[in-house]
Amino acid sequence: MASATQHFDAVVIGAGFSGMYMLKSLRDTLGLKVRVYEAGETVGGTWYWNRYPGARCDSDAYIYVFTFDKQMLQEWEWSERYPTQPEILRYLEYVAKRHDLKRDIQFSTRVIGGAFDEHTNVWTVRTDKGEAVTARYLIAAVGSLSHTNMPQFKGLEKFKGTWYHTSRFPKEGVDFTAKRVAVVGTGATAVQAIPEIAQQAKHLTVFQRTANYCVPARNGKVDPEVVKARKADYDGIIKRTRESFFGQEHYSIPKSALEATPEEREREFDKRWDAGGFAFWLANYQDMFFSSEANELCADYIRRKIRKTVKDPAVAERLIPQGHYYGTKRQPLDTNYYETFNKDNVLLVDAKTDGAIEEMTEQGLRAGGKEYALDIIVFATGFDAMTGPLKALNLQGRGGRMLDQEWADGPHSYLGISVAGFPNLFTITGPQSPSVLSNMPVSIEQHVEWVSDCIDHMNKTGKTTIEATSQAQEQWVAHVNDIVNLTLMTSANSWYMSANIPGKPRAFLPYLGPEGVGGYRKQCDEVAAKGYEGFVVA
Ligand code: NAP
């Protein structure tokens, strides 16, 4: 190992939304010496890497922002309800410039290991550039969906065409004109990419393993009067989203779907369907996530919409999800997704009815015993979510404990922000925090501010280590599971349940409630107010 040359108060891994704000907070608010390492060439994190056609934000842009700088909230103008990936990247570049962040970020550098020294109470952090630095605090701001899941398809090396994973798309883009293209996967990414690729490609074949319930995004220009009103009400918006369940301005109907009359239900469903975005998912009847009967009413509404939109009844039936409850997998937002299957140049190959993918061949892909000739394959196969990026950091805590081994049976964290045996390590939007079940910037800002306050407290009280106790951690893990076990979420083979990666132990990865991000914020604040209850501070 290279010898440590430089010492920092904190090393932050990642320069997406989390890492950028963590740097700002520790450096400019607390005056600490901070180094950020980022594998990409610039800021952006998920918005740097995910450049596939159609990539755009699924949260309304007015809440998909930093709120720590009130002037930025007034100055920045989004061009649409859901901005595209390049526009979000421009926003993050603007933030980086305005707050002069880049001077403390080392780009094109991946952290490949970190070890806590129990004698000196510092972390040594190693990078793929052969560098090693030390730091009192190590903050993983690595994102929840940043570790690519590229399944080991048999014969991929034989394929003579080109292939891409959506999360590692080439910067210069891909020209699909006159090409025979396949998209593998039908999650939120594919649902955005498929309509775009279908417009360009000579022919598109979509390989679906599990159909998803998609609802309309309803993207478009936002009425300038609405924009103005929102800008005037940002203090209110910030308060409401922070206190809300999902970090969004969506509120469920305080009634059982089963108590509503069919007419009333249809009206409420129509309202949410017409509003677009996450309204149908996150602002539906309160028992939708708990009661299979209530859930079935929501699912039935979407099934009727699919049958109405997709012209070929056989294709429509294949696009109708089977075997999981509505909303238990991440809601994909649809802009011409179902309509795309009405196009003559688009073919759906469904694993359940047509046969699963068997192998890649020289000329394309074989599924259900049939070979499909292809020039380009786009894998929209997702991520080793939440634990994947942290396990890949190769972190060593007390007594030589390795994080990936500690989490061999699933994540164990306290509040989703710290891990017993790993002092002074913080995980921004880590597993077992609301994270991916919320509007990310709301949860990111909450974690960053909590960590920053904690480090400030440590410095002011002359303490050097903070570490979750195993007892507090195991209580938290049990609490996370007890709550989610009351819902339908655990029944789905979703990435929330770690079920998308072969061999990944089945465990619910985020934290759901009981009072959402608002309640979780209160819990974190109470822990701090009680002198960091559940932590050993020394
Ligand atoms: P995903 O939801 O995990 O979907 C992956 C797709 O690939 C699924 O259809 C999956 O089928 C399929 N698949 C995986 N392995 C396969 C295999 N071996 N053979 C055949 N099919 C396979 O991944 P994603 O669509 O990239 O989305 C991940 C998350 O990223 C989303 O849920 C969302 O949180 C986030 N995202 C956000 C935005 C946004 O806000 N702008 C946009 C896109 C994505 P199964 O369902 O059967 O596993």
Side-chain angles (χ1 to χ4, degrees):
M1 195 171 84
S3 63
T5 49
Q6 268 188 291
H7 180 76
F8 296 91
D9 295 312
V11 162
V12 177
I13 312 171
F17 266 88
S18 335
M20 291 171 71
Y21 185 32
M22 198 73 246
L23 167 62
K24 166 78 191 158
S25 200
L26 295 180
R27 186 192 69 185
D28 296 350
T29 311
L30 302 191
L32 302 185
K33 188 178 171 199
V34 184
R35 160 71 56 84
V36 181
Y37 289 112
E38 166 56 54
E41 291 166 330
T42 186
V43 293
T46 198
W47 299 108
Y48 171 83
W49 295 105
N50 287 272
R51 296 163 183 269
Y52 59 86
R56 61 171 76 238
C57 185
D58 277 345
S59 286
D60 282 75
Y62 78 98
I63 52 167
Y64 202 80
V65 283
F66 286 117
T67 66
F68 65 83
D69 177 338
K70 299 285 188 285
Q71 208 181 319
M72 288 199 307
L73 289 171
Q74 297 305 320
E75 233 175 66
W76 184 262
E77 301 283 346
W78 294 110
S79 66
E80 289 176 292
R81 178 175 177 184
Y82 310 102
T84 59
Q85 173 268 333
E87 189 172 1
I88 302 173
L89 210 49
R90 281 200 295 281
Y91 168 71
L92 292 172
E93 290 284 1
Y94 150 82
V95 176
K97 189 162 181 217
R98 185 174 155 84
H99 291 279
D100 194 14
L101 298 179
K102 288 194 181 179
R103 69 182 149 95
D104 291 302
I105 306 174
Q106 186 170 316
F107 293 105
S108 306
T109 306
R110 187 174 286 282
V111 168
I112 55 166
F116 182 74
D117 184 323
E118 295 184 62
H119 303 292
T120 55
N121 290 332
V122 297
W123 282 90
T124 298
V125 179
R126 289 180 295 117
T127 76
D128 63 353
K129 296 284 178 291
E131 226 183 327
V133 297
T134 56
R136 173 73 67 206
Y137 296 98
L138 179 59
I139 296 144
V142 290
S144 306
L145 295 157
S146 51
H147 195 86
T148 297
N149 171 38
M150 184 56 211
Q152 296 304 302
F153 287 106
K154 190 175 151 204
L156 184 57
E157 70 291 347
K158 285 191 233 155
F159 179 52
K160 291 237 167 93
T162 42
W163 64 267
Y164 307 94
H165 191 283
T166 46
S167 71
R168 292 292 180 272
F169 236 63
K171 265 206 277 193
E172 60 283 7
V174 175
D175 185 4
F176 295 102
T177 314
K179 303 287 189 204
R180 296 161 304 173
V181 183
V183 170
V184 176
T186 51
T189 297
V191 168
Q192 289 184 336
I194 284 166
E196 298 291 323
I197 296 174
Q199 280 188 44
Q200 248 193 43
K202 180 171 150 205
H203 191 270
L204 171 65
T205 311
V206 175
F207 290 89
Q208 169 181 275
R209 191 166 71 175
T210 311
N212 255 310
Y213 293 97
C214 305
V215 304
R218 306 219 185 278
N219 188 31
K221 301 270 173 229
V222 180
D223 178 346
E225 286 307 311
V226 172
V227 173
K228 209 167 130 195
R230 283 174 176 161
K231 282 191 187 275
D233 182 33
Y234 254 119
D235 286 345
I237 291 168
I238 293 167
K239 184 171 186 305
R240 290 194 295 279
T241 50
R242 287 183 175 189
E243 291 174 357
S244 70
F245 203 101
F246 294 110
Q248 321 230 358
E249 295 201 270
H250 288 309
Y251 306 95
S252 59
I253 307 169
K255 186 175 185 175
S256 164
L258 305 167
E259 283 166 10
T261 63
E263 297 73 28
E264 179 187 350
R265 238 178 358 240
E266 202 69 4
R267 261 198 320 276
E268 294 292 357
F269 287 160
D270 283 347
K271 237 194 268 174
R272 284 152 185 78
W273 190 264
D274 295 344
F278 289 143
F280 198 89
W281 189 36
L282 304 180
N284 216 311
Y285 286 97
Q286 64 179 16
D287 52 350
M288 191 194 84
F289 286 109
F290 299 93
S291 149
S292 53
E293 290 86 359
N295 191 282
E296 170 57 20
L297 294 167
C298 305
D300 175 64
Y301 181 91
I302 303 181
R303 286 198 289 266
R304 283 186 275 132
K305 292 288 188 189
I306 298 172
R307 289 190 179 113
K308 220 165 144 182
T309 312
V310 180
K311 290 193 181 127
D312 181 335
V315 176
E317 290 314 306
R318 288 176 210 180
L319 288 167
I320 287 175
Q322 311 279 344
H324 68 272
Y325 292 109
Y326 169 61
T328 54
K329 298 184 96 170
R330 160 62 151 76
Q331 175 68 74
L333 295 191
D334 152 20
T335 302
N336 297 324
Y337 177 67
Y338 290 122
E339 284 86 348
T340 296
F341 292 94
N342 294 334
K343 289 172 91 111
D344 292 337
N345 67 332
V346 177
L347 174 71
L348 176 68
V349 177
D350 174 46
K352 290 190 180 71
T353 46
D354 305 308
I357 296 174
E358 287 148 12
E359 60 176 338
M360 308 298 139
T361 62
E362 275 189 24
Q363 301 305 324
L365 185 166
R366 193 187 320 278
K370 186 171 169 199
E371 188 172 9
Y372 297 84
L374 301 164
D375 303 306
I376 300 175
I377 306 176
V378 175
F379 294 100
T381 47
F383 303 90
D384 182 351
M386 302 201 73
T387 49
L390 292 165
K391 285 166 95 168
L393 290 175
N394 201 14
L395 298 182
Q396 187 179 59
R398 280 199 197 282
R401 295 187 206 182
M402 299 304 295
L403 187 67
D404 60 342
Q405 284 163 21
E406 295 290 298
W407 285 2
D409 64 346
H412 296 260
S413 83
Y414 179 41
L415 299 170
I417 207 165
S418 64
V419 185
F422 293 77
N424 294 359
L425 168 71
F426 296 106
T427 53
I428 305 301
T429 63
Q432 298 169 335
S433 75
S435 55
V436 293
L437 288 178
S438 72
N439 174 37
M440 288 305 281
V442 172
S443 288
I444 287 169
E445 288 197 331
Q446 185 246 331
H447 265 189
V448 165
E449 286 163 17
W450 192 93
V451 168
S452 191
D453 289 349
C454 174
I455 293 177
D456 191 32
H457 169 83
M458 299 288 291
N459 289 346
K460 284 182 175 150
T461 53
K463 305 288 186 190
T464 49
T465 56
I466 178 161
E467 179 181 358
T469 67
S470 299
Q471 194 196 7
Q473 175 165 288
E474 289 323 303
Q475 275 172 4
W476 183 254
V477 173
H479 169 66
V480 169
N481 291 323
D482 287 349
I483 299 290
V484 77
N485 283 336
L486 301 172
T487 74
L488 301 171
M489 299 294 281
T490 51
S491 63
N493 286 328
S494 61
W495 62 257
Y496 292 144
M497 288 302 302
S498 316
N500 63 326
I501 306 288
K504 189 168 175 175
R506 196 173 177 91
F508 184 64
L509 296 173
Y511 171 55
L512 180 64
E515 290 169 48
V517 301
Y520 172 77
R521 176 184 293 268
K522 275 193 227 148
Q523 286 168 283
C524 292
D525 289 348
E526 274 164 26
V527 163
K530 289 181 183 164
Y532 294 92
E533 189 179 47
F535 288 92
V536 174
V537 181

